[in-house]
């Protein structure tokens, strides 16, 4: 049986992620992020993005961005798992059981930032959440920026209203945040 285009794309993306990770991580670390990839793949099985691609393509893109930034193993695992609690039947306790408290805390932080909505009434509260997340663990913000980057790369599949909302949030919040953190490549891609 010939692999589908989606399977080949996913295989290529995962090999790219592992290749980048091999540049700075040891074998045990690579095995840990591979376990996170397998867990996320199983959790997102059957889910599709608006583009029609398998959902797991998104977390792998997030992990690629994080490996390009040479993030640590818990951050890479959380990048792969960041949507499992919100979009799948995975609980925070499941993440903690399989990957530890650090990864579970990062996933929870990204999930909480994902619930932010920007607008005149909610903006102050959401900025407070963002700053608290940065104060508690800046890795949450790195994951959220990588998430936003891939979401903007695929924004064309959303409704016009959603595209406008995401573009404004990105312009007003996420691109300046990437700039302030010195993440120039992400800032340039978001701008």
């Amino acid at each position: 049986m010939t692999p589908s285009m989606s399977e080949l794309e996913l295989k290529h993306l995962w090999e790219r992620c592992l290749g980048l990770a091999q540049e700075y991580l040891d074998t045990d670390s690579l095995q840990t992020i591979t376990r996170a990839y397998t867990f996320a793949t199983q959790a997102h099985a059957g889910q599709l993005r608006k583009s029609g691609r398998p959902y797991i393509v998104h977390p792998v893109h997030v992990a690629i961005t994080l490996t390009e930034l040479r993030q640590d193993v818990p951050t890479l695992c959380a990048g792969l798992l960041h949507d499992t609690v919100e979009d799948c039947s995975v609980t925070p306790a499941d993440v903690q059981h399989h990957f530890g408290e650090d990864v579970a805390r990062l996933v929870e932080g990204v999930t909480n930032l994902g619930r932010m909505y920007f607008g005149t009434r909610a903006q102050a509260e959401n900025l407070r959440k963002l700053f608290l997340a940065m104060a508690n663990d800046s890795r949450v913000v790195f994951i959220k920026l990588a998430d936003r980057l891939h979401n903007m790369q695929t924004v064309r599949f959303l409704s016009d209203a959603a595209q406008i909302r995401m573009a404004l949030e990105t312009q007003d919040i996420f691109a300046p945040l990437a700039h302030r953190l010195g993440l120039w490549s992400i800032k340039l891609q978001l701008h």
Side-chain angles (χ1 to χ4, degrees):
M1 184 171 165
T2 306
S4 71
M5 190 59 154
S6 293
E7 291 169 334
L8 291 174
E9 175 191 22
L10 184 56
K11 182 178 187 286
H12 171 75
L13 287 171
W14 182 241
E15 287 172 355
R16 180 173 169 213
C17 186
L18 278 180
L20 290 165
Q22 285 173 340
E23 293 175 9
Y24 70 100
L25 295 175
D26 62 28
T27 303
D28 288 343
S29 297
L30 296 172
Q31 289 174 349
T32 301
I33 63 169
T34 299
R35 276 191 316 105
Y37 166 75
T38 301
F39 187 93
T41 299
Q42 291 169 351
H44 289 295
Q47 291 180 333
L48 299 176
R49 300 265 293 170
K50 298 268 188 205
S51 65
R53 288 185 155 125
Y55 196 95
I56 189 63
V57 168
H58 170 66
V60 172
H61 272 283
V62 169
I64 288 170
T65 299
L66 294 169
T67 57
E68 289 170 345
L69 297 172
R70 296 196 179 277
Q71 293 296 296
D72 64 11
V73 173
T75 306
L76 296 176
C77 289
L80 288 162
L81 301 167
H82 78 276
D83 281 334
T84 58
V85 171
E86 189 171 5
D87 297 337
C88 304
S89 59
V90 174
T91 66
D94 294 332
V95 174
Q96 184 171 345
H97 173 75
H98 291 284
F99 299 99
E101 187 177 332
D102 196 20
V103 173
R105 194 173 351 100
L106 291 171
V107 169
E108 183 180 358
V110 174
T111 299
N112 289 338
L113 283 181
R115 294 184 180 129
M116 292 177 20
Y117 298 98
F118 294 95
T120 55
R121 286 189 160 177
Q123 195 159 11
E125 176 61 20
N126 288 321
L127 285 173
R128 186 186 71 75
K129 286 181 187 176
L130 185 61
F131 291 125
L132 284 174
M134 287 174 57
N136 289 332
D137 196 329
S138 61
R139 297 176 298 174
V140 169
V141 178
F142 281 68
I143 297 165
K144 188 61 186 170
L145 285 169
D147 174 56
R148 178 53 63 115
L149 176 61
H150 186 250
N151 283 335
M152 286 303 294
Q153 291 167 343
T154 59
V155 73
R156 70 186 174 277
F157 297 105
L158 301 178
S159 69
D160 290 345
Q163 287 183 42
I164 291 167
R165 179 187 55 79
M166 281 191 69
L168 289 173
E169 286 177 9
T170 300
Q171 175 185 319
D172 293 345
I173 304 296
F174 294 101
L177 182 59
H179 176 80
R180 295 278 189 268
L181 293 172
L183 302 173
W184 314 118
S185 65
I186 291 179
K187 188 242 181 189
L188 290 172
Q189 292 177 74
L190 288 175
H191 219 18

